Structures are given as C-alpha cells and as structure tokens.
Amino acid sequence: MCCDGTLFHSVLLQSGDPSRKLASLGLKIKIKKGRSYFLQPCPAHEGNRCRIYEDRPVRCRIFNCQQLLRLFAGEATEAQALSKIQEARRQVDHVNHLIDHLSETNQKRGLTQRCAQALQTDVKTPRHAELETAMKKLALFLENEFRVKPETNLV
Ligand code: SF4
C-alpha cells in the first residue's frame, strides 16, 4: 500500500538519491519548484514487490508503517497487524469498486486523486455519496493505522 498509490501519491527524492540512475531504472522523475519526486503508483512496484529493491530511494528505505512499528515495539502481534492490513485492503477494494462504477479514472494516479476525479461531476447520485463516505472512512483508517509523521530531517 505504500507503493501502489493507496497511502501516498508521490515520493520526494532526498539528497542521497541518484535521480539519473533511478530514472534509468524506470522511475518517472519529475521536478517541481526545484524538488525531484515521482508519482505513485510506483512503476517499480510489480507483483507486490519492489523491482529495484537494492536501489530504492531513501524514503522507501526508511519508511515503516505504523503496523510495522507496532510489531517491532512488541505493541502488536503479526496476526493483529495482518488483520489491519486485510481490513485496509477490503476498504480499498470497496473504494476502487465504487470509483470504477462511477467513471473511468487515470490508473497512473493515486487512490485519493482517482477518487476526486470520480467525484468531479455536476450531478451527484447516491453512488457518489457512498464513495465519499467510503473514502473518508478509509482515509481515517489509513491515517490512524498506517501513516506516520514525516521524519523532521527529510524533505
Ligand atoms: S521504489 Fe520500490 S519501495 Fe519505492 S515506492 Fe517504488 S516499489 Fe515501492
């Protein structure tokens, strides 16, 4: 979920990241206001694995979601963490189903962006309201159970 556009829509490169090499490995590096980043879903994410694992960017190397941190700290068991992951995936599947039902969206964008795209309409139907509610619920769940505050030494 931290690579497929569920948790994040972009990854900022850090000073130690070799952007040319990462680009040669298939990451589509963009630059905005002098900052280098790439969008998610990540092109190196294949079959739930990182195709460029040995060369992955700094942020990818240091990121541990809340579930992993709780596991490391002994505050949660593997079964509890897996249960949270399964719940998140169930909600993501539901949101994706609702999005696909409403409109075609750009699959190269993160889930939040695709959801916003699907909700951009003059006519609101009960399906739109259902998607809005499901996305809000998912966003809260991801915030409480998976995202972590960015490290202060990172850009
Ligand atoms: S480079 Fe690898 S670890 Fe980083 S977002 Fe892409 S697939 Fe995930």
Side-chain angles (χ1 to χ4, degrees):
M1 287 189 289
C2 50
C3 306
D4 70 1
T6 299
L7 277 171
F8 308 111
H9 63 83
S10 65
V11 178
L12 283 170
L13 296 188
Q14 305 298 302
S15 56
D17 284 324
S19 50
R20 278 196 191 157
K21 182 173 185 186
L22 290 169
S24 75
L25 292 170
L27 297 191
K28 310 259 182 292
I29 310 295
K30 295 170 178 279
I31 300 176
K32 193 173 181 182
K33 294 182 182 168
R35 307 292 311 281
S36 300
Y37 65 98
F38 62 94
L39 293 176
Q40 293 211 3
C42 178
H45 180 241
E46 290 178 358
N48 268 346
R49 289 173 187 273
C50 175
R51 180 172 50 73
I52 60 165
Y53 192 75
E54 294 304 319
D55 297 303
R56 67 200 188 285
V58 168
R59 270 187 173 267
C60 305
R61 286 175 190 276
I62 61 171
F63 178 74
N64 290 313
C65 72
Q66 281 196 52
Q67 291 305 315
L68 204 52
L69 292 173
R70 286 179 204 170
L71 196 65
F72 289 159
E75 293 166 1
T77 64
E78 198 171 316
Q80 286 169 328
L82 283 173
S83 162
K84 297 286 185 187
I85 293 166
Q86 280 160 359
E87 171 60 18
R89 286 192 160 163
R90 193 194 61 72
Q91 289 194 39
V92 169
D93 286 348
H94 181 53
V95 165
N96 270 319
H97 173 75
L98 292 169
I99 290 173
D100 292 344
H101 190 87
L102 283 171
S103 72
E104 267 189 31
T105 57
N106 186 347
Q107 298 295 322
K108 291 186 175 170
R109 292 290 175 267
L111 188 64
T112 307
Q113 285 68 34
R114 291 181 41 247
C115 180
Q117 206 181 337
L119 290 171
Q120 260 178 4
T121 173
D122 293 336
V123 185
K124 297 274 189 220
T125 67
R127 280 270 178 180
H128 289 92
E130 195 181 347
L131 173 57
E132 248 168 1
T133 303
M135 190 65 214
K136 269 185 200 159
K137 183 179 170 192
L138 172 61
L140 191 63
F141 189 69
L142 294 177
E143 200 60 39
N144 289 337
E145 302 292 346
F146 289 92
R147 287 202 188 93
V148 290
K149 294 215 177 348
E151 293 75 8
T152 47
N153 59 335
L154 291 184
V155 291

